[in-house]
Amino acid sequence: MKLKMFVAGLMFAGTTVFAAESCLGNGSSKVSAAQVQKALSGILGNAKVVSVSDSPISGLYEVIIETGNKKVPIYVDCNLKYLVNGEIIDVNKKVSLTRERFQQLQSQANSEKEVKLAKLLGKDKVEMLKKEGLIDLINFVDTKNLPKSNITYGNGNIVVYVFTDPQCPFCAKLHKEIEKILKDRKDVRFEMVLYPLPFHKHARGISENIECQKDNNSKQNILNKSFDSVAKGDESGLSSIDKPCTAAKGIIDKNLQYAQSVGINGTPTIVFPNKGIAVSGAIPAETLNKLIDILK
């Protein structure tokens, strides 16, 4: 999505040379986070401005934004006329101050995450997650208004939600891993929430077609066909099941609204509803099995 692509560009494609209008000596005071949020609202979307502070360059503010549970430094001039998408390089030290700041923010976020997980799961499970190298994968989402799933796979009592896009290649990859898990264990149930991304031209129509089916098997058949076509690069296979359905429009809209409101900006995203824990990406079956066993 637009915001995800924008933030990805911040981490870190290259260096931007920037000449800021100097605000020194003109009586201007430091801007607030709320002022920056308002000024950048058309660019940042749902990203939240966490803090504003001086940067190493006069006339330029460091702005920390939070999106998808990650904090990223960007820069604005003190008149809020220019946004800098790039790195500040210390020429003498030959280091990127922006990268150092990003790493500092990530280290701080991981420490805060461990404290929160310890309260939620207990210290023993946090140690298990650390031992398996899973801490970095975990984020938190508010599951209070979690939408009803559109398709179910499996019949177990351990419920795992998956926000998925029927035209997303990474979702298709994760789907194969989910099939491996369900072949080996019967205690898990995957509830699929359809989350069509706007740049996938068939995703919305396929999602609505799935939701308008009367039984779960029919829904599974369409999603399975969609992922098979994605894996093969078969556009005709997607076109044949791209059938918009008016009755499903409101349901899919609610899925999108919920996901965006809690910071789910991409697919696939796995959510453990009883813990409010989310993991993004097409993780292998072995890794997902470990997470299920630790969090169940």
Side-chain angles (χ1 to χ4, degrees), residues 160-212:
V160 180
Y161 272 67
V162 180
F163 284 76
T164 193
D165 175 326
Q167 198 177 342
C168 163
F170 300 104
C171 298
K173 186 176 180 180
L174 178 64
H175 201 68
K176 293 297 182 184
E177 300 303 303
I178 288 173
E179 289 176 348
K180 293 177 187 176
I181 291 173
L182 292 175
K183 188 178 293 185
D184 294 334
R185 57 191 299 174
K186 306 300 180 186
D187 60 341
V188 182
R189 182 169 83 250
F190 289 94
E191 300 287 1
M192 320 298 284
V193 178
L194 296 170
Y195 183 17
L197 300 177
F199 48 82
H200 289 152
K201 69 176 183 177
H202 297 295
R204 178 75 192 220
I206 295 171
S207 295
E208 291 182 6
N209 184 17
I210 290 170
E211 177 56 30
C212 279

Side-chain angles (χ1 to χ4, degrees), residues 72-89:
V72 180
I74 60 175
Y75 307 98
V76 296
D77 76 300
C78 52
N79 291 317
L80 303 183
K81 292 174 65 178
Y82 302 104
L83 166 69
V84 179
N85 175 5
E87 303 179 55
I88 294 177
I89 307 295

Side-chain angles (χ1 to χ4, degrees), residues 144-164:
K144 181 180 179 181
N145 297 311
L146 193 67
K148 183 180 178 182
S149 71
N150 306 106
I151 319 170
T152 300
Y153 286 83
N155 301 300
N157 294 321
I158 301 173
V159 180
V160 180
Y161 272 67
V162 180
F163 284 76
T164 193

Side-chain angles (χ1 to χ4, degrees), residues 89-106:
I89 307 295
D90 187 314
V91 176
N92 292 326
K93 295 181 180 178
K94 297 181 177 62
V95 296
S96 168
L97 301 182
T98 305
R99 287 178 184 268
E100 287 187 346
R101 184 68 170 125
F102 178 73
Q103 290 166 359
Q104 179 187 11
L105 290 168
Q106 290 303 105

